[in-house]
Amino acid sequence: MLRSNHRQDRRQGSEHMLQGVIERTFAADTSTHLLPQQVPAELWGYAKAFPQIRRPAMRFVWRDGTQWLDVQLALTHSRGGDRAKSGRVFARIRPSEMPRGLTVRELDVLTLVALGFTNGRIAERLGTSARTVSTQLERLLEKLGQSSRGGLAAIAVDLGLLRLPLPGGLPETGGLGIAELELAYQRRLGREHQPIRDDVPTRVPIRLGIVTPGTSSSDGAQVLGGALLAVDELNQHGGVGGRGIEAVPVEVDLFDWDSVSSGLDTLFESGVDAIVTSYVSAEHPQAIDRVAEYGKPFLHTATFEADVQKAEREPWKYGTVFQTCASENHYAPGMLRFLEELSDAGSWTPANRDIMSLELPSASMYLATPAFRELAASRGWNVVDPIPTPPGETDWEAIVARISEARPAAILFASYLDQEFAAFQRAFLRNPAPSLVYGIYAPSNPAFITELGQAADGVLWSTVTGTYDDEFGTRFREQYRAKYSQDPGWSIGGALYDQVRMLAAAWSSNNPEDVAEVVAHLRRWPYRGVNGVYYFGATGQSPQLYPDTTNDAALSQAHQIYQIQRSEHVLLSPQPFGRVSDFELPAWLT
């Protein structure tokens, strides 16, 4: 005869009683000794077996001595967006009281009822009589307000009132999540196990589209990594109003409109509730029209002032489109301001007043505009004719030869592609000119320093959306490294993390299906993220930028300017975030 399994009931009075909530993400091969010891080792064993049953989430109860534990398990996303392949589990374990005064034996009976056992079979497994089981069922029906065994089974599954280890030992078959987890823990679930259903929702999830740029593997990894980190963190704490967030990632070729359009079609057909992305719309302004027609929130970092102005002119059409950083028209004036800061501080003496711009042929990233050249001229600087540098086609040796002949005081590398900037820098160091090298965004990618090594030292670069080196930013970077064993960089990973969190804040305060209210919340309320403060104002479609559009550093994002020194990024400007005095003359100038 099978007997009820109360292995952990013997821990009465244990000094390991759980006093608070335990939250931990770990791999299936993590040593139990590295996990919190307040939780029974056997329970950690069940949690580590959880990925084998290929379910996104599960909830059950566990008896530890005189204490009940409420256990929630969830798979975390892999970099490819597939939770089933990640092998990593998030566990949330907390002390709990059983509702309606349910007893230990009633939980045993309720669990076995949910598994479909008859009174006689339940009695066999518990070592009692069918009459006793019948009495306990009557009590359960009364306590839980149900009129049938089916109602008891449904409420037990719905509320997570299922007990592990299973009372009476191994089940004969799987199907129900706790039965499959018991079989997995006892090594009775074969590797060929196929779940009855691959996607097992509890409530209708909020679907989030994530568009990643396949053009840059470094950027693509950070876009997806930052977004999925936020998704997993939100889901681990109950999602939004009890609804999980389901990630729907697509990868597109930035310079191929058919690829971008196809990726958007995939998301539209999936019925996503919002879309987050980096700069995939930058090369194709028509993408904004596609997403505006779809009519759901679209958050991007394409730094395209023309799109911002379009949205502000026609809010009835483009009001759902948010550029979560300032536009490209601030990059070049920011460089000019910084050059004068260096000169005024005596940190650098320019040999002349010439600036040469290397421009990525782009719909959005042309920086040496007539307006900038006029501004520079008014301050005694001369911006020579820009040189186009098409990606994958530029003869960098020829470009460097032109620079060597012109010998400008500063070079503005106006491309956000890290591989292009790295190719230029290698060629430049083979034939250097007495010029400062100043780029935008691209060096924020870890791949830039990884590829160049010491050759990156001395490079200056700026970003209009950068991850702050403060408590928020540091915590984000630690969480990112713990999840992916990689560095998130200094810009786009944090930007996507913020986009998801910002949407979640709007969804939490409004019905996610009410797009007008969600959009109004995004615009009305400031959001403090790891990349600074996002505040769009009553009609704006991009946030404030300090010090370019506002002097209020507490209600904006900082236009951050860095120098790479000894393979580290050193923040130089603006104050109070950085210090110009930390600037070092590049080796090629000394």
Side-chain angles (χ1 to χ4, degrees), residues 462-479:
S462 72
T463 179
V464 292
T465 178
T467 304
Y468 284 19
D469 193 15
D470 60 4
E471 183 178 349
F472 278 17
T474 299
R475 184 171 60 201
F476 160 73
R477 293 168 65 79
E478 290 172 349
Q479 292 167 335

Side-chain angles (χ1 to χ4, degrees), residues 72-300:
Q72 293 174 275
L73 303 177
L75 294 181
T76 66
H77 284 87
S78 68
R79 183 61 66 81
D82 190 339
R83 288 181 291 193
K85 293 181 180 178
S86 75
R88 293 183 63 81
V89 179
F90 169 79
R92 185 175 190 269
I93 305 168
R94 64 180 180 88
S96 179
E97 298 292 334
M98 286 302 100
R100 310 286 176 87
L102 294 179
T103 66
V104 173
R105 184 45 57 95
E106 286 169 349
L107 258 293
D108 289 343
V109 172
L110 186 60
T111 299
L112 296 175
V113 165
L115 285 168
F117 289 117
T118 65
N119 286 10
R121 293 287 306 284
I122 293 173
E124 289 180 12
R125 293 180 72 87
L126 298 182
T128 187
S129 69
R131 178 174 296 181
T132 300
V133 171
S134 178
T135 299
Q136 290 162 337
L137 277 172
E138 290 177 3
R139 291 174 181 164
L140 283 167
L141 291 168
E142 180 180 354
K143 287 182 176 182
L144 296 178
Q146 301 300 306
S147 59
S148 67
R149 299 172 69 96
L152 287 177
I155 203 168
V157 173
D158 186 45
L159 300 180
L161 294 175
L162 299 171
R163 185 179 181 189
L164 280 175
L166 283 183
L170 283 172
E172 286 81 359
T173 59
L176 201 62
I178 58 165
E180 292 182 350
L181 185 53
E182 184 72 69
L183 291 169
Y185 175 69
Q186 300 292 349
R187 303 181 186 276
R188 303 292 181 86
L189 193 70
R191 292 185 176 275
E192 70 282 356
H193 167 71
Q194 292 292 328
I196 296 173
R197 186 177 180 186
D198 288 329
D199 52 336
V200 187
T202 52
R203 295 188 184 184
V204 176
I206 299 171
R207 308 201 80 197
L208 176 68
I210 307 170
V211 187
T212 66
T215 318
S216 168
S217 59
S218 181
D219 267 9
Q222 292 168 69
V223 166
L224 189 58
L228 291 184
L229 176 60
V231 168
D232 282 337
E233 288 178 356
L234 290 163
N235 285 340
Q236 288 161 10
H237 292 86
V240 175
R243 296 172 62 183
I245 301 176
E246 179 183 348
V248 185
V250 295
E251 182 180 295
V252 302
D253 182 343
L254 172 67
F255 296 103
D256 183 346
W257 168 242
D258 288 339
S259 175
V260 173
S261 180
S262 176
L264 291 175
D265 284 340
T266 297
L267 298 182
F268 299 160
E269 292 165 5
S270 298
V272 296
D273 296 286
I275 300 171
V276 296
T277 185
S278 57
Y279 47 78
V280 294
S281 61
E283 302 303 317
H284 308 286
Q286 62 268 44
I288 299 298
D289 290 283
R290 295 287 316 280
V291 296
E293 184 178 351
Y294 181 62
K296 300 294 178 66
F298 178 75
L299 279 61
H300 69 95

Side-chain angles (χ1 to χ4, degrees), residues 281-283 302-305 328-329 361-367 416:
S281 61
E283 302 303 317
T303 63
F304 196 7
E305 181 62 20
E328 82 289 350
N329 57 331
S362 167
S364 66
M365 291 305 297
Y366 179 61
L367 301 189
Y416 48 80

Side-chain angles (χ1 to χ4, degrees), residues 330-341 343-344 350 352-355 371-383 547-548:
H330 299 294
Y331 272 125
M335 173 193 179
L336 193 63
R337 180 180 65 248
F338 179 71
L339 294 182
E340 292 179 340
E341 288 177 0
S343 179
D344 292 344
N352 54 56
R353 305 287 284 182
D354 291 339
I355 298 174
F372 169 63
R373 300 175 79 173
E374 183 177 341
L375 173 65
S378 70
R379 297 183 179 180
W381 293 88
N382 172 47
V383 181
D548 299 283

Side-chain angles (χ1 to χ4, degrees), residues 406-485:
R407 301 172 69 81
I411 302 163
L412 172 59
F413 193 89
S415 171
Y416 48 80
L417 299 177
D418 55 283
Q419 62 271 29
E420 294 294 310
F421 198 171
F424 162 76
Q425 183 66 7
R426 282 194 297 267
F428 177 77
L429 290 181
R430 288 192 290 269
N431 184 17
S435 315
L436 291 180
V437 175
Y438 186 105
I440 61 167
Y441 173 72
S444 70
N445 288 319
F448 184 78
I449 291 180
T450 300
E451 183 172 344
L452 285 176
Q454 293 181 351
D457 287 351
V459 167
L460 296 159
W461 66 276
S462 72
T463 179
V464 292
T465 178
T467 304
Y468 284 19
D469 193 15
D470 60 4
E471 183 178 349
F472 278 17
T474 299
R475 184 171 60 201
F476 160 73
R477 293 168 65 79
E478 290 172 349
Q479 292 167 335
Y480 191 101
R481 291 191 194 101
K483 183 175 177 64
Y484 301 116
S485 300

